[in-house]
Every structure is written in C-alpha cells, then in structure tokens.
Amino acid sequence: SRTAQGSKNPMIYKGIEFNIVQGVEPGVWKWSVATIENESKTGQTKTKPDAVIAAWRAIDDALKSNNAVFVR
C-alpha cells in the first residue's frame, strides 16, 4: 500500500529489505535498512534515486564488512 509519505512496501537488494519514504518537507527522501538486532542503518537524501543508491551502498558496505545481520 502507498501513503502520502511514500511506499510502505520494502524493496529488496541482494536479498536484503530496505525502505524509502518521502519526508514531510519537499526534497527530503529517507532510507532505512533493518537489522535483526532491531537497529537500523538510516539516512536521507534530496531525491528518491539518491536514497535508493544510498541504501544499496549501506547494504554493500555491511555485507563486505560482515558486521551486520539483516532482516531477510
């Protein structure tokens, strides 16, 4: 389902779920990647494509370092 803030359906990258939502203010897109420990990697960008790329990078970095266990 969609809301005024953006998609509530998680996206998948390399088998890992992440979310992108539009912020309350124009030109703010927020991304998050959840871990099993109920912690999240989060950030915000000015565009939706940049938010997707930032989430992908966070996933790639965590997978390379083997420090995070993600919700799959």
Side-chain angles (χ1 to χ4, degrees):
S1 69
R2 290 186 64 79
T3 68
Q5 290 185 314
S7 175
K8 292 293 184 183
N9 295 325
M11 297 180 190
I12 307 279
Y13 176 69
K14 295 188 177 179
I16 308 299
E17 291 184 1
F18 68 97
N19 287 291
I20 306 291
V21 294
Q22 187 173 13
V24 175
E25 293 126 17
V28 175
W29 288 87
K30 298 179 180 186
W31 60 268
S32 64
V33 180
T35 65
I36 288 178
E37 297 86 15
N38 290 325
E39 297 177 13
S40 295
K41 294 188 176 286
T42 63
Q44 65 182 39
T45 63
K46 293 182 180 181
T47 68
K48 186 175 183 178
D50 287 344
V52 171
I53 291 167
W56 289 351
R57 284 185 182 147
I59 291 168
D60 285 340
D61 290 346
L63 290 173
K64 285 180 191 174
S65 69
N66 293 322
N67 287 339
V69 179
F70 293 99
V71 174
R72 289 188 185 253

